[in-house]
Amino acid sequence: DDRSELVGVEPAGGAAIGECFATVSKVKDGDLKGWGAAWEETATRIEETAASAESEGHAISAADAYLRASTYWRAAGFFLERGDENRIAFCKKQRHCFRSSLRLAGVALEAVDIPFENGKTLPGYFIKASATNEPRATSIILPGGDTTSEEHYLMSGQAALRRGYNVLLVEIPGQRLVDDCPVYHP
């Protein structure tokens, strides 16, 4: 259930409990379109807050808001049908906000392509635990079928980095949220 995942990333800065409760209070049970619209409204507002903070030179506040906006954009697109025109747009906004957050927080995020099969690659992110080139163990994190690398950064990537591990987040084939969203590289 996507509701518990939203609240579950709050300790990592990926959501604010009050923002989550205020958003879901606008949704009637079973109203998937209403779910998307409510989260789109929240994501837009929080992304605008982040952009304003960034333009005023408040990098930490902007990074925090962008990280929450990334989660909210994912929530907005979670129940959209494959053919919905907002699906790709929300995916792009999720990734833009995520990358903006980490950039402003000083986290060195590198978009990577992992060779796969038949000349295809798997998109992902590589994040070093420190700026040094000191050899370190790397935690390889593969999101499930209904999650994204950005979400798994919050669920386990941050914890691995804090413990001194490099992190490789890799999208796997068949993920219904990302199959149509080839926007890892700027």
Side-chain angles (χ1 to χ4, degrees), residues 99-179:
R99 290 175 181 172
S100 296
S101 173
L102 270 62
R103 174 182 49 80
L104 290 166
V107 176
L109 180 74
E110 177 185 353
V112 297
D113 285 316
I114 309 297
F116 185 52
E117 61 183 18
N118 301 323
K120 295 183 179 181
T121 59
L122 301 176
Y125 296 117
F126 181 72
I127 309 166
K128 290 173 62 171
S130 77
T132 69
N133 287 324
E134 172 188 342
R136 295 178 177 272
T138 298
S139 177
I140 301 172
I141 302 170
L142 305 169
D146 64 351
T147 59
T148 63
S149 288
E150 294 83 5
E151 183 179 23
H152 271 271
Y153 170 80
L154 297 167
M155 292 178 160
S156 53
Q158 279 184 349
L161 289 167
R162 283 195 314 269
R163 288 164 177 79
Y165 291 90
N166 293 327
V167 172
L168 178 63
L169 297 158
V170 181
E171 301 286 356
I172 58 175
Q175 291 181 281
R176 76 174 186 88
L177 292 178
V178 297
D179 281 345

Side-chain angles (χ1 to χ4, degrees), residues 13-16 18-20 23 38-54 61-73 97:
E19 291 167 352
C20 291
T23 302
W39 283 109
E40 179 182 8
E41 179 183 313
T42 299
T44 298
R45 181 173 48 82
I46 301 303
E47 183 177 0
E48 288 171 354
T49 297
S52 177
E54 182 178 9
S61 297
D64 290 351
Y66 275 128
L67 195 58
R68 295 192 326 274
S70 176
T71 297
Y72 302 156
W73 280 118
C97 288

